């Protein structure tokens, strides 16, 4: 096996915390958007099919902006396409939750509520970043995330406080999703450095508002809050579930088959 | 988009019927083996998990031999790996049936019975090929195909003539699979040329024995023979279902990501 020319040094997180921080956000948008786009043509009603595709496009747009900016910060000539299509699984920095298979509609909507609530708080904080480019991206993205949040929250209440079957499915989705939310707020040297530099918030700083918002939503949806678990996912450090590799194989195929291909 | 360097001329079938004939067989083994291998770790009982993995390996072995031979006949320096991993969807010559998703266990076993019955007749005929290399491959493969056939036929009877649920599923699988079997015996200039040259049989020559065998099996399994349909699949001509592209994205990812990589 040839060594990958794109393999980062093991200490990249220490060497370039700003780049890591931006990739963690950009990759989470990218992988989340890719999963959401899988609903295209498959949603239960046409209106929702189009809504999900539009929200996927919002996320891909945010990913493009973030990866372009990350590439500029890195200064090694990697553009958005190279970062999206020519990195390997272990180089992706998305949180694990967004790479889990799309599941049923209840799973998708509950994950969407979890992530959009997280992103609303994140973009809001990033709008005050010392990095003017990042602040600009965040100022646009926060409006999209808030709309995603409202839309998903409506569905979570409708499904959780709905029929016996929709309640059962939403409760099952919650049991599956909840353990992965811990990773969203796990703090390490990367976001510590970002906070110190005024780049953006520590992840842990986003937890109280998220927790309050999710508890209110789950209460309205008649879904009991799951107990905390010791389980931790580590996608942000590049340690992914079995699902990301297969997603990347599909997502990267065209660029791998036609290196350098453009529209 | 860059043009593919591996794109064959549109008239390749006329220019090189022997190569086409060999690819049709080799690609069908390859794609069938890849689908069967998806059961690894997922079969309903451990014994069957191992059996399916072993049969997948038989098919991959047959594919390797056939693609290596096809590459030698072509004389353009394409080895088994290059043919398997660096051709595009439209260049694959497998019959459409084998690229359909693996479905449930009943679907897999019925497809296995259909294909192993087909291959038993095909390898038997090819064992008398004027091409000594091909005859040698066939002489080994026929034993494997006959074992696959017995194994799958046992399951089809057990499932078809089993519980209400297993019968329902096997009947549903038959309704889905049967229309795709017509392609197995559709004759064109490629197998006409192969027959004339003594390379191997016309596909249509394999139908009577296959039909007799399948009718006996379906009768024993209490599954009524479906009516013929006008539908025709055309995988052998490179016109594939929506499923092959996704399979190739996964199957080819490593070789596309690490061009020239070897063990």
């Amino acid at each position: 096996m040839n060594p990958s020319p794109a393999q980062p040094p093991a200490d990249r997180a220490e060497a370039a915390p700003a780049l890591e921080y931006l990739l963690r956000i950009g990759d989470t948008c990218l992988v989340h958007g890719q999963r959401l786009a899988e609903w295209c043509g498959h949603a239960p009603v046409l209106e929702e099919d189009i809504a999900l595709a539009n929200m996927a496009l919002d996320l891909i747009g945010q990913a493009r902006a973030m990866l372009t900016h990350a590439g500029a910060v890195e200064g090694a000539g990697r553009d958005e396409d190279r970062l999206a299509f020519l990195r390997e699984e272990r180089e992706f920095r998305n949180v694990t939750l967004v790479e889990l298979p799309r599941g049923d509609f209840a799973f998708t909507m509950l994950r969407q509520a979890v992530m959009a609530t997280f992103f609303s708080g994140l973009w809001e904080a990033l709008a005050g970043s010392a990095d003017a480019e990042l602040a600009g991206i965040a100022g646009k993205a926060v409006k999209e995330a808030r709309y995603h949040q409202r839309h998903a929250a409506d569905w979570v209440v409708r499904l959780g406080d709905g029929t016996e079957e929709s309640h059962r499915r939403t409760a099952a989705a919650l049991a599956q999703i909840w353990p992965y939310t811990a990773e969203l707020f796990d703090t390490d040297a990367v976001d510590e450095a970002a906070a110190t530099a005024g780049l953006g918030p520590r992840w842990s700083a986003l937890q109280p508002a998220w927790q309050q918002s999710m508890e209110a939503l789950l209460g309205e949806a008649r879904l009991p809050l799951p107990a905390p678990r010791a389980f931790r996912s580590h996608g942000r450090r590049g340690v992914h579930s079995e699902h990301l590799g297969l997603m990347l194989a599909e997502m990267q195929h065209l660029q791998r088959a036609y290196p350098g291909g453009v529209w």
Side-chain angles (χ1 to χ4, degrees), chain A:
Chain A
M1 187 68 70
N2 300 333
S4 162
Q7 194 66 34
D11 62 350
R12 193 175 67 168
E14 290 90 60
L19 173 62
E20 280 291 305
Y21 189 79
L22 297 171
L23 286 177
R24 288 176 179 192
I25 300 168
D27 286 347
T28 297
C29 293
L30 178 64
V31 172
H32 190 27
Q34 178 77 6
R35 273 287 181 244
L36 215 51
E38 291 177 9
W39 278 99
C40 191
H42 297 278
V45 290
L46 187 55
E47 179 78 17
E48 210 43 48
D49 201 291
I50 294 167
L52 288 170
N54 269 316
M55 288 187 280
L57 282 175
D58 288 342
L59 287 161
I60 301 290
Q62 294 159 9
R64 293 186 58 187
M66 289 300 294
L67 293 182
T68 297
H69 186 48
V73 165
E74 184 187 40
R78 295 201 286 181
D79 65 4
E80 52 174 300
D81 288 327
R82 192 155 158 209
L83 285 168
F85 295 127
L86 295 179
R87 275 182 303 155
E88 292 171 67
E89 181 186 335
R90 292 295 292 262
E91 299 174 77
F92 272 78
R93 295 295 184 251
N94 58 283
V95 297
T96 305
L97 176 57
V98 295
E99 74 201 33
L100 300 182
R102 71 172 204 238
D104 60 13
F105 191 68
F107 182 93
T108 286
M109 277 306 166
L110 185 59
R111 172 165 62 185
Q112 183 76 349
V114 163
M115 291 309 301
T117 303
F118 172 78
F119 269 121
S120 292
L122 176 59
W123 293 127
E124 193 177 307
L126 290 174
S129 172
D131 176 337
E133 173 73 19
L134 178 56
I137 295 168
K140 176 171 183 290
V142 70
K143 292 174 220 155
E144 296 166 341
R146 281 182 190 146
Y147 168 70
H148 298 184
Q149 184 185 20
R150 276 198 307 277
H151 178 266
D154 284 351
W155 271 107
V156 169
V157 172
R158 192 166 158 188
L159 294 169
D161 189 17
T163 67
E164 198 178 314
E165 172 70 2
S166 74
H167 178 79
R168 187 188 63 73
R169 287 191 181 214
T170 316
L174 181 61
Q176 206 192 331
I177 287 169
W178 201 254
Y180 288 92
T181 61
E183 185 190 355
L184 298 175
F185 309 106
D186 273 345
T187 285
D188 66 7
V190 170
D191 56 313
E192 184 65 38
T196 305
L199 182 64
R202 281 180 195 82
W203 312 121
S204 59
L206 303 169
Q207 187 159 23
W210 178 89
Q211 186 82 22
Q212 193 178 10
S213 177
M214 287 305 300
E215 284 181 16
L217 174 62
L218 296 178
E220 201 183 343
R222 296 198 307 111
L223 295 164
L225 201 68
R229 295 247 310 265
F231 171 83
R232 278 293 184 287
S233 53
H234 295 291
R236 269 197 191 126
R237 299 185 204 164
V239 182
H240 294 284
S241 74
E242 72 200 80
H243 307 291
L244 184 63
L246 287 170
M247 174 196 278
L248 295 181
E250 183 185 331
M251 190 180 92
Q252 298 183 333
H253 182 71
L254 208 57
Q255 189 59 235
R256 300 279 193 187
Y258 295 92
V262 291
W263 285 102

